[in-house]
Amino acid sequence: MAFRIITADERLSAAENKTSLAIFGPPGVGKTTLLKTLPAEETVCLDLEAGMKSVQDWRGASIPVRSFTDFRDLAVLIGGPDPAQHPQSWYGTERHAWLQAQHRDSGIEAFLASRRIVFVDSITDLTRQAMAYARQQPEAFSDRTGKPDVRGAYGLLGREVIQALKHLQHARGKTVIFVGVLEKVTDDFGTVTWQPQMEGSKAGRELPGIVDQVVSMHLFARDAEGGWVLDETATDRRLVCKSGNPWRLPAKDRSGRLDLTEPPDLGALLARIDGRAPHQPAFAS
């Protein structure tokens, strides 16, 4: 293959300045409504959970996704072929060419190329669709008995989801936002932890290492000193952006440009991450 050198100016240009972001929040906190804070003409929502009712007044476009194979095909159309894959594999050059031929008259490829932000809602439902797909594959059945093999299905699920996410993450010039459910888990000693809700454990373990940023969206109230306190009965929404936060919520800031918490505005958040917005210290963030 031919190697391509990307200069500093190219890397900082609008075409290359992209971000991969995972956002997790409890059900009902308003994760999908974050779409309203993104530029409608530059964003496409891959709708896996038929959850667009809360944003029916959003002027952007969405694509319903009903199966993991459909999602995988969209990932290939968005990211192009993977030169490291066998030409006849799902992400190979021949599959990409076949998809282009299949959708040549639909306009889908040109439409996807015109959108620089891909909003995946949700990664939780993606893993469920992937599990339904994995249960039907030969790896999900025992070679010896022919009976279903749950471990084989979960192994395939993890590999397929991670490969699809990595392929999207490598899409040139695309900011990819994965949205997922944040689950509250209480152990036998009453200790509360928050973790992404996904089928299988592999995707949940590896996702933070794939994306640039991990953010948790939750409800907060103010304490007597004006600081933020996690309160599931409150109405103020905040994005928790730093690991080691006092609420032990999943978070990671690879950019180093975010405060501990940020307002629920993805457009402003992306501008901060990309260095397009000046840093303004937040009061009691």
Side-chain angles (χ1 to χ4, degrees):
M1 64 170 289
F3 293 102
R4 179 172 179 268
I5 298 174
I6 299 176
T7 66
D9 288 340
E10 286 180 301
R11 189 169 60 251
L12 295 173
S13 69
E16 295 291 347
N17 202 359
K18 61 174 190 162
T19 299
S20 54
L21 173 68
I23 302 176
F24 296 101
V29 76
K31 299 181 293 297
T32 304
T33 62
L34 290 171
L35 271 172
K36 296 181 180 181
T37 67
L38 294 170
E41 70 282 358
E42 299 178 15
T43 305
V44 59
C45 175
L46 304 187
D47 177 23
L48 289 94
E49 58 179 25
M52 301 298 290
K53 184 69 174 178
S54 62
V55 290
Q56 56 186 340
D57 57 341
W58 180 61
R59 302 304 300 170
S62 63
I63 300 176
V65 182
R66 298 296 302 274
S67 70
F68 180 71
T69 53
D70 287 346
F71 180 86
R72 190 166 50 183
D73 286 348
L74 282 170
V76 174
L77 287 172
I78 293 170
D82 183 349
Q85 298 294 317
H86 188 279
Q88 295 179 346
S89 71
W90 277 99
Y91 299 93
T93 53
E94 291 185 16
R95 175 70 180 181
H96 178 248
W98 182 84
L99 285 171
Q100 287 181 309
Q102 289 292 109
H103 298 282
R104 180 173 291 116
D105 298 327
S106 69
I108 185 69
E109 190 173 20
F111 167 78
L112 291 172
S114 71
R115 295 314 196 252
R116 69 175 182 88
I117 301 175
V118 180
F119 189 93
V120 180
D121 188 21
S122 68
I123 193 173
T124 301
D125 280 86
L126 174 63
T127 60
R128 291 169 181 159
Q129 290 185 6
M131 189 59 181
Y133 164 82
R135 288 184 182 275
Q136 302 174 52
Q137 305 310 306
E139 294 94 323
F141 296 89
S142 169
D143 291 335
R144 184 171 58 86
T145 66
K147 294 182 179 180
D149 179 0
V150 176
R151 289 184 300 177
Y154 273 111
L156 180 61
L157 158 72
R159 294 192 298 274
E160 289 285 357
V161 169
I162 291 301
Q163 188 174 21
L165 299 185
K166 284 186 174 180
H167 193 79
L168 268 183
Q169 193 264 349
H170 280 282
R172 185 181 177 192
K174 302 293 186 185
T175 284
V176 184
I177 301 171
F178 302 104
V179 177
V181 174
L182 189 63
E183 184 178 12
K184 182 180 181 179
V185 179
T186 305
D187 65 17
D188 295 337
F189 300 99
T191 302
V192 174
T193 57
W194 296 90
Q195 60 188 32
Q197 186 183 94
M198 297 185 193
E199 289 285 345
S201 58
K202 182 178 177 64
R205 287 196 315 269
E206 296 193 20
L207 180 64
I210 296 173
V211 298
D212 298 315
Q213 310 285 137
V214 178
V215 172
S216 287
M217 183 177 184
H218 221 300
L219 299 174
F220 286 84
R222 292 283 193 180
D223 61 18
E225 287 75 35
W228 292 109
V229 179
L230 192 147
D231 185 347
E232 296 176 63
T233 66
T235 56
D236 284 334
R237 303 182 302 164
R238 299 291 292 180
L239 302 177
V240 179
C241 307
K242 296 282 190 181
S243 59
N245 59 79
W247 312 286
R248 292 185 291 181
L249 293 169
K252 180 186 76 170
D253 177 22
R254 187 173 286 173
S255 74
R257 292 171 171 151
L258 303 180
D259 289 322
L260 178 61
T261 75
E262 297 280 352
D265 184 331
L266 285 185
L269 192 79
L270 291 174
R272 289 281 300 276
I273 292 170
D274 294 342
R276 292 181 282 113
H279 179 268
Q280 297 177 347
F283 172 71
S285 66

